[in-house]
Amino acid sequence: MEKLVSSWYDDKSLPHSYIFPPETRPGKHFVPRCNTIPVVDLSKAVGHDRTRIVQQILKASQEFGFFQVVNHGVSENLINDTMNVFKEFFEMPAEDKAHVYSEDPRKPCRLYTSSPNYDSEKVHLWRDNLKHPCHPLEEGIQVWPEKPTTYREIVATYSIEAKKLGLRILELVSEGLGLESGYFADKLSESLILSVNHYPPCPDPSLTLGIPKHCDPNLVTILHQGDVHGLQVFKDGEWIGVEPLHNAFVVNVGYQLQIISNNKLKSAEHRAVTNSKVARTTAAFFINPSEDCIVEPAKSLVDAYDSPLYRAFRYKEFLLKYIPNMGDPELSLEPFKLHA
Protein backbone atom coordinates (compact mmCIF):
# COMPACT_ATOMS: atom_id res chain seq x y z
CA MET A 1 0.00 0.00 0.00
CA GLU A 2 2.86 2.40 0.75
CA LYS A 3 3.93 2.17 -2.91
CA LEU A 4 0.69 3.83 -4.10
CA VAL A 5 1.47 7.31 -5.41
CA SER A 6 -1.71 8.60 -3.77
CA SER A 7 -0.40 7.59 -0.33
CA TRP A 8 2.73 9.80 -0.41
CA TYR A 9 2.62 12.24 -3.35
CA ASP A 10 1.90 15.39 -1.32
CA ASP A 11 4.83 15.25 1.06
CA LYS A 12 7.90 15.09 -1.15
CA SER A 13 9.48 16.20 -4.41
CA LEU A 14 9.48 13.93 -7.45
CA PRO A 15 11.53 10.80 -6.59
CA HIS A 16 14.33 9.91 -8.99
CA SER A 17 12.65 6.58 -9.81
CA TYR A 18 9.80 8.51 -11.51
CA ILE A 19 12.01 10.68 -13.74
CA PHE A 20 11.91 9.59 -17.39
CA PRO A 21 14.92 9.82 -19.72
CA PRO A 22 15.11 13.15 -21.62
CA GLU A 23 13.98 11.55 -24.91
CA THR A 24 10.70 10.20 -23.46
CA ARG A 25 9.76 12.76 -20.79
CA PRO A 26 7.09 15.30 -21.83
CA GLY A 27 9.27 18.34 -21.11
CA LYS A 28 7.99 21.86 -20.68
CA HIS A 29 6.98 22.58 -24.28
CA PHE A 30 3.31 23.30 -24.93
CA VAL A 31 1.21 20.54 -26.50
CA PRO A 32 -1.76 21.96 -28.40
CA ARG A 33 -5.23 20.78 -27.50
CA CYS A 34 -6.63 19.39 -30.68
CA ASN A 35 -10.08 20.16 -32.01
CA THR A 36 -9.47 18.12 -35.14
CA ILE A 37 -9.97 14.70 -33.55
CA PRO A 38 -13.37 13.80 -34.99
CA VAL A 39 -16.48 14.07 -32.82
CA VAL A 40 -19.21 11.63 -33.88
CA ASP A 41 -22.85 12.28 -33.04
CA LEU A 42 -24.22 8.76 -32.54
CA SER A 43 -27.82 9.97 -32.46
CA LYS A 44 -27.43 10.46 -36.23
CA ALA A 45 -26.52 6.80 -36.83
CA VAL A 46 -30.06 6.02 -37.94
CA GLY A 47 -31.99 6.56 -41.14
CA HIS A 48 -30.43 8.42 -44.06
CA ASP A 49 -27.54 9.78 -41.93
CA ARG A 50 -26.27 6.33 -40.94
CA THR A 51 -23.97 5.94 -43.94
CA ARG A 52 -22.37 9.32 -43.26
CA ILE A 53 -21.73 8.40 -39.60
CA VAL A 54 -20.26 5.02 -40.60
CA GLN A 55 -17.88 6.77 -43.00
CA GLN A 56 -16.96 9.36 -40.36
CA ILE A 57 -16.04 6.60 -37.89
CA LEU A 58 -14.07 4.72 -40.55
CA LYS A 59 -12.14 7.83 -41.62
CA ALA A 60 -11.34 8.73 -38.00
CA SER A 61 -10.16 5.17 -37.32
CA GLN A 62 -7.90 5.31 -40.38
CA GLU A 63 -6.44 8.78 -39.85
CA PHE A 64 -6.31 9.14 -36.07
CA GLY A 65 -7.12 5.75 -34.52
CA PHE A 66 -9.20 7.91 -32.16
CA PHE A 67 -12.55 9.69 -32.14
CA GLN A 68 -15.02 11.01 -29.57
CA VAL A 69 -18.71 10.14 -29.40
CA VAL A 70 -21.54 12.34 -28.14
CA ASN A 71 -25.29 11.68 -27.88
CA HIS A 72 -24.32 8.07 -27.23
CA GLY A 73 -27.28 7.04 -25.09
CA VAL A 74 -25.45 6.66 -21.76
CA SER A 75 -27.18 8.96 -19.27
CA GLU A 76 -25.23 11.92 -17.94
CA ASN A 77 -26.38 11.14 -14.37
CA LEU A 78 -25.00 7.60 -14.62
CA ILE A 79 -21.67 8.87 -15.96
CA ASN A 80 -21.41 11.45 -13.15
CA ASP A 81 -22.37 8.93 -10.45
CA THR A 82 -19.79 6.46 -11.78
CA MET A 83 -16.92 8.94 -12.04
CA ASN A 84 -17.77 10.22 -8.54
CA VAL A 85 -17.68 6.72 -7.05
CA PHE A 86 -14.26 6.12 -8.67
CA LYS A 87 -12.93 9.36 -7.16
CA GLU A 88 -14.45 8.39 -3.83
CA PHE A 89 -12.68 5.03 -3.99
CA PHE A 90 -9.24 6.61 -4.43
CA GLU A 91 -9.93 9.16 -1.69
CA MET A 92 -10.82 6.49 0.89
CA PRO A 93 -8.43 5.85 3.81
CA ALA A 94 -5.72 3.26 3.14
CA GLU A 95 -7.36 0.67 5.39
CA ASP A 96 -10.52 0.71 3.26
CA LYS A 97 -8.51 -0.03 0.10
CA ALA A 98 -6.09 -2.54 1.61
CA HIS A 99 -8.16 -5.65 0.78
CA VAL A 100 -8.14 -4.70 -2.93
CA TYR A 101 -4.44 -3.82 -3.13
CA SER A 102 -2.28 -6.56 -4.60
CA GLU A 103 1.07 -6.97 -6.33
CA ASP A 104 -0.05 -10.27 -7.85
CA PRO A 105 -0.94 -9.63 -11.53
CA ARG A 106 -3.03 -12.83 -11.57
CA LYS A 107 -5.54 -11.44 -9.10
CA PRO A 108 -8.66 -10.53 -11.14
CA CYS A 109 -9.56 -7.41 -9.14
CA ARG A 110 -6.67 -5.39 -7.85
CA LEU A 111 -5.44 -1.96 -6.94
CA TYR A 112 -1.79 -1.43 -7.82
CA THR A 113 0.60 1.33 -8.80
CA SER A 114 2.61 2.16 -11.92
CA SER A 115 2.46 -0.99 -14.11
CA PRO A 116 2.32 -4.79 -13.81
CA ASN A 117 6.10 -4.67 -14.31
CA TYR A 118 6.75 -2.52 -11.18
CA ASP A 119 9.63 -4.62 -9.84
CA SER A 120 11.51 -4.80 -13.15
CA GLU A 121 10.71 -1.46 -14.83
CA LYS A 122 13.45 1.18 -15.10
CA VAL A 123 11.09 4.10 -14.36
CA HIS A 124 7.81 4.10 -12.42
CA LEU A 125 4.62 5.68 -13.73
CA TRP A 126 2.84 8.47 -11.85
CA ARG A 127 -0.46 6.65 -11.47
CA ASP A 128 -2.44 4.23 -9.35
CA ASN A 129 -4.76 1.80 -11.10
CA LEU A 130 -7.85 -0.21 -10.20
CA LYS A 131 -8.61 -3.01 -12.64
CA HIS A 132 -11.25 -5.71 -12.69
CA PRO A 133 -13.36 -7.82 -15.07
CA CYS A 134 -16.94 -6.81 -15.90
CA HIS A 135 -18.07 -9.87 -17.88
CA PRO A 136 -19.70 -12.16 -17.03
CA LEU A 137 -21.11 -9.60 -14.61
CA GLU A 138 -22.56 -12.10 -12.11
CA GLU A 139 -19.09 -13.62 -11.55
CA GLY A 140 -16.99 -10.46 -11.81
CA ILE A 141 -19.01 -8.38 -9.37
CA GLN A 142 -18.20 -10.81 -6.53
CA VAL A 143 -14.55 -9.67 -6.51
CA TRP A 144 -15.18 -5.93 -6.95
CA PRO A 145 -14.50 -3.43 -4.15
CA GLU A 146 -17.13 -3.48 -1.39
CA LYS A 147 -16.46 0.16 -0.57
CA PRO A 148 -17.76 2.71 -1.34
CA THR A 149 -21.02 0.88 -0.59
CA THR A 150 -22.62 2.08 -3.83
CA TYR A 151 -19.66 0.94 -5.97
CA ARG A 152 -21.00 -2.41 -7.15
CA GLU A 153 -24.49 -1.22 -8.00
CA ILE A 154 -23.38 1.90 -9.91
CA VAL A 155 -20.44 0.34 -11.75
CA ALA A 156 -22.50 -2.72 -12.75
CA THR A 157 -25.09 -0.49 -14.42
CA TYR A 158 -22.35 1.56 -16.06
CA SER A 159 -20.49 -1.49 -17.38
CA ILE A 160 -23.64 -2.82 -19.04
CA GLU A 161 -24.13 0.52 -20.81
CA ALA A 162 -20.44 0.71 -21.81
CA LYS A 163 -20.57 -2.77 -23.34
CA LYS A 164 -23.72 -1.87 -25.27
CA LEU A 165 -22.08 1.30 -26.54
CA GLY A 166 -18.93 -0.58 -27.55
CA LEU A 167 -20.88 -3.20 -29.47
CA ARG A 168 -22.91 -0.50 -31.19
CA ILE A 169 -19.71 1.23 -32.34
CA LEU A 170 -18.20 -2.09 -33.47
CA GLU A 171 -21.33 -2.80 -35.53
CA LEU A 172 -20.87 0.56 -37.30
CA VAL A 173 -17.18 -0.30 -37.88
CA SER A 174 -18.07 -3.72 -39.34
CA GLU A 175 -20.56 -2.00 -41.65
CA GLY A 176 -17.88 0.42 -42.83
CA LEU A 177 -15.41 -2.40 -43.48
CA GLY A 178 -18.01 -4.40 -45.39
CA LEU A 179 -18.12 -7.23 -42.84
CA GLU A 180 -21.30 -9.09 -42.02
CA SER A 181 -23.57 -7.81 -39.26
CA GLY A 182 -22.53 -9.13 -35.86
CA TYR A 183 -18.96 -9.89 -36.97
CA PHE A 184 -17.51 -8.58 -33.70
CA ALA A 185 -20.10 -10.25 -31.46
CA ASP A 186 -19.44 -13.34 -29.33
CA LYS A 187 -15.81 -14.36 -28.71
CA LEU A 188 -14.17 -11.38 -30.44
CA SER A 189 -15.75 -9.02 -27.89
CA GLU A 190 -16.45 -11.43 -25.04
CA SER A 191 -14.16 -9.92 -22.40
CA LEU A 192 -14.79 -6.56 -20.75
CA ILE A 193 -12.13 -5.12 -18.43
CA LEU A 194 -12.48 -1.90 -16.46
CA SER A 195 -9.30 0.10 -15.85
CA VAL A 196 -9.57 3.18 -13.62
CA ASN A 197 -6.45 5.36 -13.59
CA HIS A 198 -5.84 7.89 -10.84
CA TYR A 199 -3.14 10.50 -11.36
CA PRO A 200 -2.48 12.61 -8.22
CA PRO A 201 -1.09 16.14 -8.63
CA CYS A 202 2.58 15.86 -9.59
CA PRO A 203 5.46 18.04 -8.31
CA ASP A 204 7.04 18.24 -11.79
CA PRO A 205 4.87 17.08 -14.73
CA SER A 206 7.67 17.85 -17.21
CA LEU A 207 9.81 14.96 -15.92
CA THR A 208 7.37 12.06 -15.60
CA LEU A 209 4.36 10.37 -17.23
CA GLY A 210 1.12 8.82 -16.04
CA ILE A 211 1.28 6.31 -18.90
CA PRO A 212 4.06 6.21 -21.52
CA LYS A 213 3.58 6.04 -25.29
CA HIS A 214 1.74 2.85 -26.21
CA CYS A 215 -1.07 1.30 -28.26
CA ASP A 216 -3.86 -0.69 -26.62
CA PRO A 217 -3.72 -4.48 -27.05
CA ASN A 218 -7.49 -5.03 -27.19
CA LEU A 219 -10.23 -4.63 -29.81
CA VAL A 220 -11.55 -1.20 -28.85
CA THR A 221 -11.34 1.09 -25.80
CA ILE A 222 -14.19 3.23 -24.48
CA LEU A 223 -12.74 5.96 -22.24
CA HIS A 224 -14.28 8.63 -20.09
CA GLN A 225 -11.49 11.08 -19.34
CA GLY A 226 -13.38 13.36 -16.98
CA ASP A 227 -12.84 17.11 -17.30
CA VAL A 228 -9.09 17.32 -16.70
CA HIS A 229 -6.61 17.40 -19.59
CA GLY A 230 -4.01 14.64 -19.81
CA LEU A 231 -4.65 12.35 -22.81
CA GLN A 232 -2.33 12.95 -25.77
CA VAL A 233 -2.24 11.22 -29.16
CA PHE A 234 0.86 10.90 -31.37
CA LYS A 235 0.07 11.93 -34.95
CA ASP A 236 2.34 12.97 -37.81
CA GLY A 237 5.36 13.07 -35.55
CA GLU A 238 3.91 15.27 -32.80
CA TRP A 239 1.79 15.05 -29.67
CA ILE A 240 -1.69 16.56 -29.65
CA GLY A 241 -3.95 16.88 -26.61
CA VAL A 242 -7.42 15.33 -26.70
CA GLU A 243 -9.92 17.93 -25.50
CA PRO A 244 -12.15 16.64 -22.67
CA LEU A 245 -15.67 17.21 -24.03
CA HIS A 246 -18.69 17.34 -21.75
CA ASN A 247 -20.47 13.98 -21.52
CA ALA A 248 -18.37 12.45 -24.32
CA PHE A 249 -16.51 9.16 -24.60
CA VAL A 250 -13.15 8.78 -26.31
CA VAL A 251 -12.98 5.68 -28.53
CA ASN A 252 -9.70 4.27 -29.73
CA VAL A 253 -8.75 1.45 -32.04
CA GLY A 254 -6.88 -1.42 -30.38
CA TYR A 255 -4.32 -3.72 -31.99
CA GLN A 256 -6.87 -6.49 -32.54
CA LEU A 257 -9.10 -4.22 -34.61
CA GLN A 258 -6.06 -3.13 -36.63
CA ILE A 259 -5.18 -6.78 -37.27
CA ILE A 260 -8.73 -7.91 -38.14
CA SER A 261 -9.05 -4.96 -40.56
CA ASN A 262 -5.72 -5.99 -42.14
CA ASN A 263 -4.30 -2.52 -41.38
CA LYS A 264 -7.26 -0.66 -42.90
CA LEU A 265 -7.75 0.80 -39.41
CA LYS A 266 -4.81 1.92 -37.27
CA SER A 267 -4.18 1.75 -33.55
CA ALA A 268 -2.70 5.11 -32.52
CA GLU A 269 0.06 5.65 -30.00
CA HIS A 270 -1.05 7.70 -27.01
CA ARG A 271 0.09 8.63 -23.51
CA ALA A 272 -1.15 10.29 -20.32
CA VAL A 273 0.63 13.32 -18.89
CA THR A 274 0.25 14.66 -15.36
CA ASN A 275 -0.39 18.11 -13.95
CA SER A 276 0.66 19.90 -10.76
CA LYS A 277 -2.70 21.32 -9.72
CA VAL A 278 -5.47 18.71 -9.58
CA ALA A 279 -5.91 14.95 -9.47
CA ARG A 280 -7.18 13.31 -12.66
CA THR A 281 -9.30 10.16 -12.65
CA THR A 282 -10.23 8.34 -15.87
CA ALA A 283 -12.21 5.19 -16.60
CA ALA A 284 -11.46 2.95 -19.58
CA PHE A 285 -13.42 -0.10 -20.68
CA PHE A 286 -11.29 -2.50 -22.70
CA ILE A 287 -13.38 -4.68 -25.00
CA ASN A 288 -11.27 -7.76 -25.73
CA PRO A 289 -11.49 -11.12 -27.43
CA SER A 290 -11.67 -14.09 -25.08
CA GLU A 291 -8.18 -15.45 -24.35
CA ASP A 292 -8.70 -18.56 -26.49
CA CYS A 293 -10.28 -16.63 -29.38
CA ILE A 294 -8.50 -16.96 -32.73
CA VAL A 295 -7.68 -13.52 -34.15
CA GLU A 296 -6.71 -12.99 -37.80
CA PRO A 297 -7.45 -10.62 -40.69
CA ALA A 298 -11.10 -10.95 -41.73
CA LYS A 299 -11.37 -13.40 -44.64
CA SER A 300 -13.51 -10.99 -46.68
CA LEU A 301 -10.78 -8.31 -46.47
CA VAL A 302 -8.03 -10.43 -48.00
CA ASP A 303 -7.79 -11.60 -51.62
CA ALA A 304 -5.25 -11.91 -54.44
CA TYR A 305 -4.60 -8.18 -54.30
CA ASP A 306 -4.73 -7.72 -50.53
CA SER A 307 -2.84 -10.58 -48.91
CA PRO A 308 -3.10 -11.06 -45.12
CA LEU A 309 -0.55 -9.00 -43.19
CA TYR A 310 -0.83 -11.04 -39.98
CA ARG A 311 -0.95 -14.72 -39.10
CA ALA A 312 -3.73 -16.25 -37.03
CA PHE A 313 -3.11 -16.48 -33.27
CA ARG A 314 -4.90 -16.87 -29.96
CA TYR A 315 -5.44 -13.61 -28.08
CA LYS A 316 -3.62 -14.91 -24.98
CA GLU A 317 -0.50 -15.42 -27.13
CA PHE A 318 -0.66 -11.77 -28.15
CA LEU A 319 -0.93 -10.63 -24.52
CA LEU A 320 2.15 -12.66 -23.58
CA LYS A 321 4.16 -10.67 -26.14
CA TYR A 322 2.50 -7.32 -25.41
CA ILE A 323 2.70 -7.03 -21.61
CA PRO A 324 6.52 -7.24 -21.22
CA ASN A 325 6.98 -4.70 -24.04
CA MET A 326 4.50 -2.12 -22.67
CA GLY A 327 2.76 -1.71 -26.00
CA ASP A 328 5.84 -0.93 -28.13
CA PRO A 329 4.38 -1.11 -31.66
CA GLU A 330 7.32 -2.88 -33.28
CA LEU A 331 7.96 -5.41 -30.53
CA SER A 332 4.26 -6.15 -29.95
CA LEU A 333 3.22 -6.68 -33.59
CA GLU A 334 6.38 -8.14 -35.13
CA PRO A 335 5.85 -11.77 -33.97
CA PHE A 336 2.45 -11.82 -35.72
CA LYS A 337 3.33 -10.15 -39.03
CA LEU A 338 3.52 -12.13 -42.25
CA HIS A 339 6.43 -11.07 -44.43
CA ALA A 340 6.26 -11.42 -48.20
Side-chain angles (χ1 to χ4, degrees):
M1 284 290 289
E2 66 278 356
K3 290 179 183 174
L4 292 172
V5 179
S6 51
S7 67
W8 53 259
Y9 74 93
D10 58 352
D11 60 10
K12 59 171 72 174
S13 58
L14 187 69
H16 189 265
S17 59
Y18 286 82
I19 297 176
F20 275 70
E23 64 274 14
T24 53
R25 68 179 63 154
K28 294 185 184 295
H29 60 275
F30 175 74
V31 171
R33 293 172 189 171
C34 177
N35 294 320
T36 58
I37 288 181
V39 179
V40 179
D41 183 347
L42 282 185
S43 69
K44 301 277 177 56
V46 290
H48 63 277
D49 273 341
R50 186 177 177 90
T51 302
R52 181 175 63 82
I53 295 299
V54 165
Q55 290 309 312
Q56 191 182 2
I57 288 174
L58 211 63
K59 190 165 184 278
S61 301
Q62 291 164 342
E63 292 182 9
F64 288 89
F66 268 80
F67 55 94
Q68 301 205 58
V69 293
V70 295
N71 297 325
H72 38 65
V74 184
S75 89
E76 186 172 350
N77 285 343
L78 178 59
I79 292 171
N80 291 340
D81 288 348
T82 307
M83 296 306 290
N84 285 337
V85 87
F86 291 147
K87 290 172 187 172
E88 199 181 331
F89 172 84
F90 282 101
E91 288 166 0
M92 289 192 307
E95 58 268 21
D96 288 338
K97 293 180 287 197
H99 70 290
V100 188
Y101 180 83
S102 175
E103 295 177 17
D104 180 1
R106 295 167 301 180
K107 190 177 177 189
C109 174
R110 73 183 188 114
L111 170 65
Y112 64 99
T113 194
S114 190
S115 84
N117 308 319
Y118 185 91
D119 290 332
S120 59
E121 64 196 9
K122 292 187 176 72
V123 187
H124 298 319
L125 310 180
W126 190 267
R127 67 133 184 198
D128 296 331
N129 179 270
L130 172 66
K131 188 169 287 180
H132 61 66
C134 296
H135 185 84
L137 189 56
E138 308 74 37
E139 290 176 27
I141 201 169
Q142 303 303 321
V143 299
W144 292 4
E146 295 176 20
K147 291 181 178 179
T149 53
T150 55
Y151 185 98
R152 292 185 174 184
E153 180 186 356
I154 291 172
V155 177
T157 306
Y158 188 65
S159 69
I160 291 167
E161 293 301 312
K163 181 74 181 276
K164 278 198 290 194
L165 175 60
L167 291 177
R168 187 178 167 204
I169 290 166
L170 285 167
E171 184 65 15
L172 294 167
V173 169
S174 66
E175 213 170 295
L177 290 171
L179 303 174
E180 66 265 26
S181 178
Y183 185 90
F184 293 106
D186 303 323
K187 281 190 172 293
L188 276 175
S189 59
E190 184 175 283
S191 168
L192 183 65
I193 305 290
L194 170 66
S195 177
V196 186
N197 284 312
H198 182 70
Y199 311 95
C202 177
D204 192 342
S206 70
L207 297 177
T208 192
L209 285 166
I211 305 178
K213 183 164 81 167
H214 71 289
C215 292
D216 290 351
N218 50 306
L219 192 63
V220 70
T221 302
I222 310 290
L223 169 78
H224 195 278
Q225 61 167 338
D227 55 4
V228 181
H229 290 271
L231 175 63
Q232 297 179 347
V233 178
F234 197 62
K235 186 178 190 304
D236 300 330
E238 65 176 5
W239 288 104
I240 51 177
V242 181
E243 189 79 25
L245 300 180
H246 178 69
N247 202 33
F249 287 100
V250 179
V251 180
N252 68 284
V253 173
Y255 274 143
Q256 306 315 301
L257 193 49
Q258 176 175 326
I259 290 165
I260 291 165
S261 74
N262 208 35
N263 275 7
K264 288 179 172 59
L265 309 181
K266 295 292 173 66
S267 185
E269 293 176 301
H270 54 286
R271 69 182 184 183
V273 297
T274 64
N275 75 83
S276 59
K277 295 183 175 64
V278 291
R280 178 172 181 259
T281 303
T282 66
F285 278 99
F286 298 126
I287 297 179
N288 316 276
S290 61
E291 287 199 345
D292 64 346
C293 180
I294 301 289
V295 179
E296 62 185 333
K299 296 280 196 292
S300 60
L301 298 180
V302 297
D303 54 31
Y305 302 101
D306 283 310
S307 55
L309 300 174
Y310 302 93
R311 65 175 175 84
F313 56 86
R314 293 189 189 276
Y315 183 54
K316 63 184 172 187
E317 182 190 352
F318 187 91
L319 290 177
L320 287 172
K321 301 288 185 187
Y322 174 91
I323 292 169
N325 296 316
M326 266 309 287
D328 180 292
E330 293 308 313
L331 295 174
S332 297
L333 289 177
E334 191 58 36
F336 307 98
K337 287 181 178 177
L338 292 173
H339 298 280

